[in-house]
Amino acid sequence: MSDKENKKALGFIFITVLIDVIGLGVIIPVLPDLIEQLTGGNVSEASRYGAWLGVTYGVMQFVFSPVLGGLSDRYGRRPVLLLSLMGLGCDYIFMAMAPTIAWLFVGRLIAGICGASFGTATAYIADISTPEKRAQNFGLIGAAFGVGFIIGPTIGGIFGHWGPRIPFFIAAGFSLLNLIYGYFVVPESLVKEHRRKFDWKRANPIGSLLNLRKYPVISGLVVTYLLLFMAGKSVENTWTFYTKLKFDWNSVWVGISLSVVGILIAGVQGGLIRVAIPKLGQKRAVFIGLSLSTLGLILFAFASQGWMMFIFIVPYCLGGIAGPALQGIMSGQVKVNEQGELQGALTGLMSVTSILGPLLMNNLFYYFTKEGAPFYFPGAAFIVGAVFMFIGIMFAINSLKRYQPLEVPVKKK
């Protein structure tokens, strides 16, 4: 690709992930209300249903991430991305019309399959990036998440006043608009000579992870990557319930807080990492980022006033430099025609956290807030998340002792 085509392609991936995240973000502020509406329970009980909805999504993403990654290595990134966008758009409409909680579970099954395309988007970036630019370009996905979480929860919080189902229709509109945009704009990133045959042995979640054993640095860092996302589930899965219960926030305040998170993430992933990672180096960026995230989680757990959450968001979001640095290190260890497999495996790891995270974090929240709890502590999940982060730092220290850059040049056409 020429530089002009490169920029156009990066722009598409940014827009694709952005609109996907907006679609996810608009439903976050209203999901507890919809669960309460469908089940007749309270906030604490709704968190348990929220956990199982998260598990449902995670199982599907875990199973299908390596499949979509392998298909994208065989047929190209473009068709996989477009089909996933179409599926997500239809799924949001399905969930908006859910008459029972069972419909929500079916909806999360479909969303998990289609949401597995994030690995394909990451592989797309690896295809078109030079080795020295990969970490910074991976940050575009983080920036898209950030901007999406500015726009999405704000829309969800505002339109949630007209009912918890309205934001789901809005999410469907964003996904289908993204499909149209991608169909007419997106170029293919993986040239035919770099494609490989689809192999079911490598396209299952266990096989794709086992295949990473041939890369010593990656096999160690995947544990850190797993723990990083597992810790993040403490925020992702309990933030709405935690702030609603402890600070009596409504959907508007939840939306505002997530928008602040989005602004900071966008600034870190879209701007700061382009300066910080080249200056610090990828290894130091990993350690500093993980340490800041650990601090942020501990502060969340002990916040006594709602306004404190807005301050404690800062160190937590600054820790976002760790993710792109980790991805940059791991991506530099594999061949061009294995980027889809690698990113599919990493997305599969994220899916493992989507299975285990809600079960652990939401149930910790429920256990320490229910009647008869041994002691009242809504922030228990954040403390467990901080412990995971610390363990991840220990694994990273050991793995990066063996790190040597093995960058594979990207063939440009």
Side-chain angles (χ1 to χ4, degrees), residues 117-358:
S117 64
F118 279 117
T120 304
T122 311
Y124 193 114
I125 288 178
D127 292 338
I128 64 175
S129 302
T130 57
E132 62 273 12
K133 291 288 186 181
R134 276 198 194 125
Q136 293 96 312
N137 287 343
F138 283 145
L140 282 175
I141 290 184
F145 267 86
V147 175
F149 270 101
I150 297 169
I151 301 171
T154 301
I155 293 174
I158 293 171
F159 285 90
H161 277 294
W162 283 275
R165 298 173 187 270
I166 300 299
F168 286 87
F169 285 110
I170 296 172
F174 278 119
S175 292
L176 295 175
L177 282 174
N178 201 10
L179 170 65
I180 295 169
Y181 173 83
Y183 182 81
F184 288 105
V185 175
V186 62
E188 180 54 64
S189 64
L190 188 64
V191 294
K192 289 186 178 180
E193 57 264 34
H194 285 163
R195 298 182 187 182
R196 64 175 178 86
K197 291 183 178 180
F198 182 80
D199 184 354
W200 278 108
K201 291 181 180 179
R202 296 170 63 173
N204 67 80
I206 305 302
S208 64
L209 291 173
L210 289 177
N211 192 54
L212 298 180
R213 291 182 301 175
K214 62 185 179 183
Y215 304 107
V217 173
I218 292 179
S219 61
L221 288 180
V222 291
V223 179
T224 298
Y225 198 77
L226 176 69
L227 291 169
L228 169 64
F229 279 93
M230 191 69 178
K233 294 300 174 183
S234 65
V235 177
E236 180 181 329
N237 288 285
T238 68
W239 182 272
T240 304
F241 300 104
Y242 177 80
T243 54
K244 185 175 181 179
L245 180 66
K246 191 168 184 179
F247 308 121
D248 198 28
W249 284 5
N250 57 23
S251 62
V252 174
W253 276 107
V254 171
I256 291 171
S257 68
L258 292 175
S259 295
V260 173
V261 171
I263 291 169
L264 290 170
I265 291 176
V268 170
Q269 304 274 346
L272 180 62
I273 65 167
R274 295 181 176 272
V275 177
I277 291 180
K279 188 176 181 66
L280 296 172
Q282 291 180 335
K283 291 171 66 173
R284 289 182 65 193
V286 168
F287 296 130
I288 292 173
L290 292 175
S291 299
L292 286 169
S293 294
T294 303
L295 174 63
L297 288 170
I298 294 171
L299 293 173
F300 287 155
F302 294 102
S304 58
Q305 300 291 329
W307 60 265
M308 293 180 179
M309 300 296 281
F310 288 93
I311 295 175
F312 299 158
I313 283 169
V314 175
Y316 179 76
C317 290
L318 287 175
I321 63 174
L326 275 170
Q327 281 188 303
I329 291 171
M330 290 187 284
S331 178
Q333 303 289 303
V334 304
K335 299 174 184 177
V336 173
N337 65 357
E338 293 182 347
Q339 291 293 336
E341 181 181 29
L342 169 64
Q343 301 305 332
L346 294 180
T347 303
L349 279 177
M350 291 170 59
S351 306
V352 171
T353 68
S354 295
I355 298 168
L356 302 178

Side-chain angles (χ1 to χ4, degrees), residues 350-369:
M350 291 170 59
S351 306
V352 171
T353 68
S354 295
I355 298 168
L356 302 178
L359 284 176
L360 176 61
M361 303 305 180
N362 288 57
N363 280 297
L364 278 171
F365 176 83
Y366 172 73
Y367 183 76
F368 286 100
T369 58

Side-chain angles (χ1 to χ4, degrees), residues 28-57:
I28 290 175
V30 297
L31 187 58
D33 293 333
L34 182 58
I35 293 172
E36 288 180 57
Q37 183 184 100
L38 293 174
T39 63
N42 57 31
V43 177
S44 186
E45 292 166 347
S47 71
R48 301 185 75 187
Y49 281 99
W52 285 107
L53 286 168
V55 169
T56 302
Y57 179 91

Side-chain angles (χ1 to χ4, degrees), residues 60-90:
M60 289 298 99
Q61 198 172 63
F62 177 66
V63 172
F64 283 91
S65 289
V67 174
L68 295 187
L71 288 173
S72 76
D73 280 342
R74 174 65 182 89
Y75 298 105
R77 318 301 185 201
R78 184 178 187 272
V80 173
L81 287 170
L82 294 180
L83 285 171
S84 295
L85 288 171
M86 182 173 66
L88 279 175
C90 296

